[in-house]
Amino acid sequence: QCQLNGLWRNDQDSLMEISVLKDSGNFQGQYLTRVTLAGGCAHISPLKGAQQQLGEEGWPTFAFTVRWDKFSNATTAFVGQCFVDAGGKEMLSTMWLLREAVGSLEEDWKATR
């Protein structure tokens, strides 16, 4: 079974640590991105989420948000599923949407990536 708690590294060399996984499925942690909108040095950003509670078997789905409040006026929502490959390695498969603040309703079209 896949366990979300722990340290994860993605293919862009960003790090995510899920440090608190509650019995309810809620979790929190921190995210250190190597990819930023403004460039430059990245900061640790808080994350909060929840995973679907399953029985003894299965690969849980999950969702979490990251507030990039220390260096950007943006928030990212991730959704995904945890898998274990044939070699026993745990992997997270995710999709994300990033929402950046814009100055007007007319600029809304370019705010989501």
Side-chain angles (χ1 to χ4, degrees):
Q1 182 173 346
C2 218
Q3 299 292 322
L4 289 182
N5 58 320
L7 186 63
W8 299 90
R9 179 183 310 271
N10 71 11
D11 55 358
Q12 300 295 317
D13 214 27
S14 296
L15 296 173
M16 175 178 73
E17 181 179 24
I18 297 176
S19 54
V20 177
L21 181 58
K22 298 180 180 177
D23 290 340
S24 65
N26 294 335
F27 60 85
Q28 62 189 43
Q30 54 191 10
Y31 200 103
L32 174 62
T33 184
R34 300 283 184 209
V35 180
T36 64
L37 294 174
C41 183
H43 298 276
I44 294 174
S45 299
L47 70 83
K48 289 186 179 182
Q51 80 169 23
Q52 178 67 32
Q53 293 297 89
L54 298 174
E56 290 294 316
E57 297 180 17
W59 298 328
T61 59
F62 57 88
F64 63 91
T65 58
V66 178
R67 266 188 0 247
W68 310 112
D69 57 0
K70 303 235 172 151
F71 61 94
S72 174
N73 192 1
T75 302
T76 302
F78 293 81
V79 295
Q81 187 170 0
C82 190
F83 293 100
V84 178
D85 70 13
K89 182 179 178 183
E90 294 176 323
M91 300 185 71
L92 303 181
S93 176
T94 63
M95 299 279 297
W96 55 267
L97 284 174
L98 180 139
R99 177 64 188 215
E100 183 178 16
V102 292
S104 69
L105 184 57
E106 291 75 28
E107 295 177 292
D108 185 58
W109 66 270
K110 65 180 182 178
T112 303
R113 299 166 200 227

